[in-house]
Amino acid sequence: MKNNKLIFYPLLSLGIIILQAYSPVINLGFATISIDITLVYLSIMAILFDRFSIIFLGFFIGLAQDLISQVSLFGLFSFIKSLSSYLMGSIRLHESVWDKKIKYLVILVTYFIHFFLYFYVMINNNVSIYMILKYSTLQTLFTFGIFWILNAFIFRRKLI
């Protein structure tokens, strides 16, 4: 069983990275909105596995995403994916103490921090903080919706 996990999860991570590279984007003036499949994947993994492993997974997924899409800001995705993995790792640590609403709130706030840092670095010089907040909120709600749909229909609400 352990050998199957050693093969399955790296292949799944590679598939998620490839899927993220070819996911569609929506251009909204200065910013682009897209499905952040890797962040949703990290959310699911953070709920299933321990924090330490997920931070490394987040770093390497972010590094791959940096190499694929953000060569000009190399390290941005590595940092924010690692930070997001750390924050979402709190869900598993406090699994017996927090109820569903708190767990969903942690995921929502983590998504917002992730996208706020991303948009702040990417489009800070061109637009106001209001626009950064607007894009971050839109991207957060969009990505959270994907997570909620996966949790409801694929995992049958067993994640949270």
Side-chain angles (χ1 to χ4, degrees):
M1 182 70 176
K2 195 126 177 129
N3 290 336
N4 291 340
K5 287 183 180 180
L6 290 174
I7 295 170
F8 176 72
Y9 287 114
L11 286 177
L12 181 63
S13 297
L14 181 65
I16 294 294
I17 291 168
I18 291 170
L19 194 62
Q20 179 68 43
Y22 291 107
S23 67
V25 296
I26 302 166
N27 290 320
L28 297 174
F30 293 105
T32 57
I33 304 293
S34 66
I35 301 171
D36 198 342
I37 301 165
T38 57
L39 189 59
V40 173
Y41 174 68
L42 284 174
S43 303
I44 293 169
M45 293 293 113
I47 293 168
L48 297 176
F49 297 105
D50 63 311
R51 180 189 269 180
F52 188 70
S53 303
I54 299 307
I55 292 170
F56 279 114
L57 178 65
F59 175 77
F60 287 115
I61 285 178
L63 185 65
Q65 204 170 355
D66 278 332
L67 292 172
I68 291 171
S69 64
Q70 295 295 333
V71 179
S72 62
L73 291 173
F74 189 74
L76 176 63
F77 277 122
S78 300
F79 172 70
I80 59 178
K81 296 288 186 206
S82 299
L83 177 66
S84 298
S85 300
Y86 175 78
L87 294 173
M88 287 184 291
S90 300
I91 294 172
R92 185 172 169 104
L93 288 177
H94 305 303
E95 185 175 25
S96 62
V97 179
W98 291 349
D99 65 344
K100 288 182 179 187
K101 292 177 185 177
I102 298 295
K103 292 175 185 177
Y104 278 127
L105 182 66
V106 168
I107 291 174
L108 195 65
V109 168
T110 301
Y111 286 0
F112 182 78
I113 291 169
H114 177 277
F115 292 119
F116 181 81
L117 289 173
Y118 173 73
F119 286 119
Y120 185 78
V121 171
M122 287 300 297
I123 61 173
N124 187 25
N125 295 335
N126 298 329
V127 296
S128 68
I129 193 75
Y130 171 74
M131 294 302 288
I132 294 171
L133 288 171
K134 186 168 98 172
Y135 289 143
S136 300
T137 304
L138 181 65
Q139 184 74 38
T140 297
L141 294 175
F142 188 66
T143 305
F144 184 77
I146 299 297
F147 175 80
W148 188 84
I149 288 170
L150 286 175
N151 185 33
F153 296 110
I154 303 295
F155 293 100
R156 308 265 187 219
R157 300 194 192 281
K158 291 181 183 175
L159 287 176
I160 294 183

